[in-house]
Amino acid sequence: MPDQTAGLPELRGDCGNCFGLCCVALPFAASADFALDKPAGRPCPNLAADHRCGVHARLRDEGFTGCTVYDCFGAGQKVSRHTFGGQDWRTAPKERARRMFDVFPVVRQLHELLWYLTEALSLPAARPVHADLRRALGDTERLTLLSAEELAVLDVGAHRREVNVLLLRTSELVRAGSAGRRSGKNGKGKDRRGADLMGARLRGADLRGATLRGAYLIAADLTGADLRDADLIGADLRDADLSDADLTGAFFLTQPQVDAARGNAGTKLPGALRRPTHWG
């Protein structure tokens, strides 16, 4: 599959062109992922005056694993540089800074949709819906360019539901093609949408062409599993073991999902995704 997203740096977080919005706008609670509580709108105590993280090189050691598996899909630089024209929340009026923090999660959702739509357009099996996907991509991009006031009242949930219809159809087409190549007949892989597979023993499992949309795979053993052509949109892979697993052609898989999992040199990933450094 061609890596359509590799040529789109605007869909990857660029902290150097952002004012640390994710470190301020988003809340987190003391847990295995975060060392302390922080409400939305309050800067993380590790955020320096230059908007850099003071413990970036040792986030995992300091108890901030959640930060290492987060990606804004480029929403941070879009809001910082376009929506608010390069204005720093530190020097902006309080009300305007609050608006930045409100708008950031909205644009982040839109940019995540841009990632999925761009990937969908790279899938040959989805050609029957490419025209609709291109229209949805254009509509979503236009929404990201709205003013701060318009974004603040945007029903992003409604837009997600509209796009999801196309992503579901894309999934059906890709997985049907995968099943057809394997069996010589039309069909789809296993349906595990929203399944509770936390801690499941799936070592060596054949999950080719499966839909694992929204599945809970926390700490699941997927060692050596075959996940080729599987739909992984929204699957929770925190601490899942992907050692020697084959995710070639797996689609709607994002870098944060991969970063949250465990793997090794034998794990085969889609071309758009990088191997996390903590995998060793």
Side-chain angles (χ1 to χ4, degrees):
M1 182 186 76
D3 180 6
Q4 296 292 100
T5 55
L8 294 173
E10 65 269 24
L11 296 184
R12 297 179 186 273
D14 180 2
C15 298
N17 280 304
C18 177
F19 295 121
L21 292 181
C22 65
C23 303
V24 187
L26 305 179
F28 50 73
S31 63
D33 294 321
F34 297 100
L36 46 81
D37 294 319
K38 186 192 82 65
R42 179 184 297 173
C44 173
N46 296 315
L47 185 65
D50 62 358
H51 303 294
R52 295 176 182 271
C53 175
V55 296
H56 186 268
R58 55 183 193 280
L59 280 167
R60 288 179 175 272
D61 294 336
E62 295 286 338
F64 291 90
T65 300
C67 297
T68 70
V69 300
Y70 178 80
D71 190 345
C72 71
F73 294 96
Q77 62 259 32
K78 174 68 74 66
V79 173
S80 296
R81 301 299 173 180
H82 174 80
T83 312
F84 289 92
Q87 185 173 33
D88 188 339
W89 57 267
R90 292 185 189 273
T91 57
K94 182 178 294 186
E95 191 57 39
R96 189 161 176 80
R98 185 178 297 112
R99 179 57 57 86
M100 292 182 193
F101 306 147
D102 291 341
V103 163
F104 170 68
V106 174
V107 177
R108 197 268 183 189
Q109 290 188 64
L110 293 173
H111 269 237
E112 184 177 7
L113 291 178
L114 290 176
W115 178 277
Y116 293 138
L117 288 165
T118 301
E119 182 180 1
L121 282 165
S122 76
L123 302 171
R127 191 166 289 111
V129 291
H130 275 188
D132 291 331
L133 288 167
R134 278 191 289 271
R135 281 192 290 271
L137 183 70
D139 291 342
T140 305
E141 177 60 33
R142 282 189 287 275
L143 289 178
T144 71
L145 300 175
L146 293 175
S147 68
E149 291 69 28
E150 291 169 316
L151 284 165
V153 297
L154 177 67
D155 188 347
V156 70
H159 185 67
R160 287 184 69 99
R161 289 190 290 273
E162 291 177 7
V163 171
N164 192 49
V165 172
L166 288 174
L167 299 182
L168 281 168
R169 180 58 181 147
T170 297
S171 178
E172 291 170 356
L173 289 167
V174 174
R175 292 184 298 105
S178 174
R181 289 192 298 275
R182 294 199 312 273
S183 64
K185 60 183 179 180
N186 292 329
K188 301 185 186 72
K190 299 176 178 65
D191 188 340
R192 296 288 186 270
R193 283 178 290 184
D196 184 350
L197 297 170
M198 291 191 289
R201 297 177 181 177
L202 296 168
R203 179 181 291 260
D206 183 358
L207 294 167
R208 288 175 294 173
T211 175
L212 290 158
R213 297 172 66 92
Y216 296 95
L217 287 158
I218 301 170
D221 183 3
L222 288 159
T223 303
D226 191 342
L227 289 153
R228 287 176 290 173
D229 300 322
D231 180 351
L232 289 163
I233 194 168
D236 193 335
L237 294 171
R238 283 177 293 170
D239 206 32
D241 193 347
L242 297 176
S243 298
D244 299 320
D246 190 350
L247 290 93
T248 306
F251 57 102
F252 299 151
L253 177 66
T254 65
Q255 192 64 51
Q257 288 171 288
V258 173
D259 289 344
R262 293 179 288 130
N264 64 2
T267 306
K268 297 179 181 177
L269 293 172
L273 305 176
R274 65 179 183 277
R275 192 175 305 278
T277 56
H278 68 270
W279 282 10

